[in-house]
C-alpha cells in the first residue's frame, strides 16, 4: 500500500517529541505557605518527620479494653473517658474498661476497642453482648504514613489530597517551582471582545476566554495582551514585549498561509521555528518555536483548531516546563454508531460522545458538522475519535480509538 504521509506535514507524535525535547523545566523555586500551594508543582520530595497517625487510637466510639480480661456475662467498671484531643492518661486497671471516642488515644494497658453497639450499659459499669478479637478497632500509629517515608514526590502538581497529606504531617510550607508565565495574544483585525459592537465581517474573540480557562487549569500566570491587529509591526512589538515578560508566548490566528498571516514571519525574524504544520485535522497550521527568552506556541485561529491543538500540544509544552512531562489522554476502543468521512493523510481528531451500552462502548461524532469553526461539536463531546493518519472513511460498526477528555475540558 502506498504511504499516505503528506509531504511537509509532520506526524503528531513527532511534533510532540520535538516539543518535549525543546522545552526545559522551570529552574526557579520558591517557598509558599501550604494554603497557597494548590495547583503548584512540588520541587522537592516531602518526607514524614513523624508517623501518621502519631499514636494508636480508636476507630470507633466504644470501650477500650484489655482483650484477655473480656468475657460475656461479666460487668466492668468504667475507669474513665478518652476523647479525641483529651487522652486518658492513667494505666487501664485489670478488669476495667475506659469509655473511648473515635480518634482518642488508646489508654496504656488497653489493646482492643469494643464498639458501643456491642455494649450493655449499666451506669458506671458495663457489660458486652459481643466480644472483639485482640486489636479490634485500633488504628495503629503509622498505619497511613510511616515515619521517614515519602509523603508527596517532587514534580507533583498539588491537588486536594496532596494538600491533606502534607497537612497531616504538619507541613506548613512547601518548596515549589516558580509559576510558568504565559502571554496570551489573540491576532486578527476581525476580532472584537464581547460587549463591543461588531462591524460587518467582525467576530467575537472566543479563543481568549477558552484558552484563559485552560491555562488556569494548568496553574500558570497569564498576561493577556488582548487583540493584536494584523500588522507585522504590531506583531513584532507584542512578541518582543511578551518575550521579555513571559516563559511562553501563546498566540491564536495568523499562523496559516493567508495574506494577513504574519505570525510565522515575525517568529522567524525574532527567533526560530522548531516546526510548523502537522499531519492532524483540525489544527494543521500549528507552529512551535523559540524567541530569545521564551517558547512560542502558535495556534491556528479557528476555534476548534485552537482549542484542540492547545489540548494536544500546547498544554504538553507547558506541562514540560512545569516538570510534569507528557500526559497522554486515556484511550478506549469503541464502536462508532455512525459512519465517519475521512481522507488518508492526516490524523483526525473528530469530536465524539461515548457511552457504554449493553453492546460495549459506543461513540458517535458530535455536532451537526465537524468543521474547525463548529465550536458546538466540542461542547457536546466527551472524547476525541482519534482516526489514524493512514485511515480512510470509517463505516458504522467499525472499531475506533477514543482519546478521553481530561481536566482540560
Ligand atoms: P487565522 O488563523 O488568523 O487565519 O484565522 C482562521 C479563522 O479563525 C478565521 O475565520 C478567523 O476569523 C478565526 N479566528 C481567529 N482568531 C479567532 C479568535 N480569537 N476567536 C474566534 N475566531 C478566531
Ligand atoms: Mg487571522
Amino acid at each position: 500500500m502506498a504511504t499516505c504521509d503528506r509531504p511537509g506535514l509532520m506526524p503528531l507524535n513527532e511534533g510532540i517529541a520535538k516539543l518535549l525535547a525543546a522545552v526545559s523545566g522551570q529552574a526557579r523555586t520558591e517557598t509558599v505557605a501550604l494554603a497557597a500551594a494548590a495547583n503548584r508543582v512540588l520541587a522537592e520530595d516531602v518526607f514524614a518527620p513523624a508517623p501518621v497517625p502519631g499514636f494508636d487510637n480508636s476507630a470507633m466510639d466504644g470501650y477500650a479494653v484489655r482483650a484477655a480480661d473480656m468475657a460475656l456475662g461479666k460487668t466492668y467498671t468504667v475507669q474513665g473517658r478518652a476523647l479525641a484531643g483529651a487522652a486518658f492518661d492513667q494505666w487501664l486497671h485489670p478488669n476495667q474498661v475506659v469509655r473511648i471516642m473515635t480518634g482518642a488515644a488508646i489508654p496504656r494497658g488497653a489493646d482492643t476497642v469494643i464498639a458501643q453497639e456491642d455494649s450493655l450499659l449499666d451506669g458506671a459499669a458495663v457489660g458486652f453482648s459481643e466480644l472483639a478479637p485482640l486489636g479490634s478497632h485500633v488504628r495503629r500509629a503509622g498505619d497511613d504514613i510511616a515515619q521517614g517515608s515519602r509523603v508527596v514526590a517532587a514534580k507533583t502538581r498539588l491537588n486536594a489530597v496532596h494538600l491533606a497529606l502534607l497537612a497531616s504531617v504538619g507541613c506548613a510550607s512547601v518548596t515549589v517551582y516558580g509559576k510558568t508565565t504565559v502571554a496570551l495574544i489573540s491576532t486578527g483585525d476581525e476580532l472584537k471582545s464581547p460587549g463591543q459592537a461588531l462591524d460587518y465581517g467582525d467576530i467575537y474573540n472566543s479563543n481568549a476566554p477558552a484558552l484563559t480557562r485552560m491555562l488556569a487549569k494548568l496553574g500558570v500566570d497569564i498576561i493577556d495582551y488582548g487583540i493584536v491587529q494584523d500588522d507585522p509591526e504590531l506583531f513584532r512589538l507584542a512578541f518582543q514585549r511578551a518575550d521579555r515578560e513571559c516563559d511562553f508566548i501563546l498566540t491564536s490566528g495568523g499562523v496559516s498561509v493567508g495574506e494577513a498571516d504574519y505570525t510565522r514571519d515575525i517568529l522567524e525574524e525574532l527567533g526560530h521555528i522548531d516546526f510548523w504544520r502537522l499531519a492532524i485535522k483540525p489544527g494543521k497550521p500549528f507552529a512551535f518555536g523559540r524567541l530569545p527568552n521564551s517558547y512560542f506556541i502558535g495556534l491556528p485561529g479557528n476555534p476548534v483548531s485552537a482549542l484542540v491543538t492547545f489540548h494536544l500540544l500546547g498544554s504538553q509544552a507547558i506541562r514540560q516546563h512545569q516538570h510534569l512531562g507528557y500526559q497522554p489522554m486515556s484511550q478506549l476502543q469503541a464502536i462508532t454508531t455512525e459512519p465517519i468521512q475521512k481522507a488518508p493523510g492526516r490524523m483526525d481528531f473528530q469530536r465524539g460522545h461515548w457511552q457504554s451500552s449493553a453492546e460495549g462502548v459506543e461513540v458517535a461524532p458530535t455536532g451537526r458538522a465537524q468543521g474547525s469553526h463548529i465550536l458546538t461539536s466540542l461542547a457536546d463531546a466527551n472524547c476525541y475519535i482519534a482516526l489514524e493518519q493512514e485511515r480512510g472513511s470509517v463505516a458504522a460498526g467499525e472499531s475506533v480509538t477514543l482519546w478521553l477528555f481530561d481536566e482540560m475540558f
Side-chain angles (χ1 to χ4, degrees), residues 187-190 230 235 252-255 260-261 301:
T187 75
D189 286 342
E190 74 280 31
D230 292 318
F235 273 44
S252 81
V255 77
D261 290 339

Side-chain angles (χ1 to χ4, degrees), residues 186-187 190-191 203-207 252-254 261 300-303:
S186 309
T187 75
E190 74 280 31
L191 298 181
I203 61 165
Y204 287 117
N205 178 3
S206 61
N207 289 344
S252 81
D261 290 339
N302 272 307

Side-chain angles (χ1 to χ4, degrees), residues 34-386:
L34 190 64
N39 226 13
R40 301 295 300 267
V41 179
L42 202 59
E44 297 171 351
D45 289 337
V46 174
F47 296 95
V52 178
F55 47 90
D56 291 356
N57 67 93
S58 179
M60 300 283 277
D61 294 331
Y63 292 87
V65 306
R66 188 181 290 103
D69 288 349
M70 292 293 112
L72 293 175
K74 270 173 72 172
T75 50
Y76 300 86
T77 300
V78 178
Q79 194 186 332
R81 295 197 316 160
L83 304 175
F88 179 76
D89 55 8
Q90 301 163 36
W91 276 84
L92 176 64
H93 296 156
N95 291 307
Q96 296 196 351
V97 299
V98 169
R99 179 98 174 93
I100 194 164
M101 304 302 153
T102 304
I106 303 290
R108 283 164 293 162
D111 52 28
T112 301
V113 171
I114 301 182
Q116 182 158 322
E117 296 85 311
D118 297 330
S119 67
L120 306 162
L121 271 182
D122 182 27
V126 66
F128 297 100
S129 58
E130 201 75 59
L131 298 182
L134 177 67
S136 293
H137 308 311
V138 175
R139 306 194 286 213
R140 295 281 170 212
D143 256 0
D144 192 7
I145 303 170
Q147 180 167 11
S149 66
R150 191 169 66 182
V151 183
V152 185
K155 304 183 180 178
T156 300
R157 191 199 293 291
L158 298 175
N159 67 18
V161 177
H162 301 126
L163 296 179
L165 282 170
L166 292 165
S168 78
V169 298
C171 200
S173 61
V174 284
T175 304
V176 295
Y177 287 110
K179 272 198 184 184
T180 298
T181 309
V182 180
L184 181 59
I185 299 177
S186 309
T187 75
D189 286 342
E190 74 280 31
L191 298 181
K192 292 275 161 57
S193 296
Q196 293 183 308
L198 295 182
D199 289 325
Y200 186 69
D202 288 349
I203 61 165
Y204 287 117
N205 178 3
S206 61
N207 289 344
L211 293 170
T212 300
R213 180 67 194 125
M214 293 168 91
L215 288 167
K217 289 192 180 181
L218 290 168
V220 304
D221 275 336
I222 305 163
I223 302 182
D224 192 345
Y225 285 67
I227 295 162
V228 175
Q229 303 293 307
D230 292 318
D231 173 337
E233 181 53 20
L234 295 177
F235 273 44
R236 190 175 293 116
L237 288 173
F239 291 7
Q240 282 172 331
R241 195 179 125 204
D243 181 50
R244 286 192 299 272
E245 295 178 345
C246 301
D247 300 306
F248 284 88
I249 301 177
L250 179 63
T251 63
S252 81
V255 77
S256 200
V257 290
E259 285 185 8
D261 290 339
Y262 302 118
T263 303
R264 266 184 321 121
D265 293 345
I266 306 300
L267 171 59
E268 204 155 35
E269 175 194 312
L270 300 177
H272 163 80
I273 300 177
D274 283 49
F275 63 87
W276 173 63
R277 307 231 297 166
L278 292 172
I280 56 173
K281 186 181 173 195
K284 182 173 74 173
F286 177 91
F288 180 80
R290 276 175 262 195
L291 266 64
N293 303 304
S294 61
Y295 302 105
F296 191 98
I297 301 169
L299 307 177
N302 272 307
V304 174
S305 313
L307 304 193
V308 170
T309 51
F310 184 73
H311 195 191
L312 295 176
L313 295 138
S315 68
Q316 304 290 356
I318 291 171
R319 287 179 54 87
Q320 185 75 353
H321 189 255
Q322 296 176 314
H323 297 267
L324 296 171
Y326 180 61
Q327 174 175 273
M329 281 170 244
S330 303
Q331 297 190 8
L332 195 61
Q333 290 303 121
I335 300 298
T336 175
T337 56
E338 289 175 27
I340 306 172
Q341 292 273 325
K342 181 184 181 296
R346 288 194 273 164
M347 187 167 180
D348 197 345
F349 288 88
Q350 297 250 336
R351 279 68 66 205
H353 190 274
W354 72 272
Q355 57 188 29
S356 36
S357 72
E359 277 73 60
V361 180
E362 292 180 342
V363 71
T366 49
R368 279 165 289 116
Q370 285 269 335
S372 52
H373 60 299
I374 309 285
L375 253 186
T376 45
S377 71
L378 200 47
D380 295 337
N382 60 5
C383 66
Y384 297 114
I385 306 172

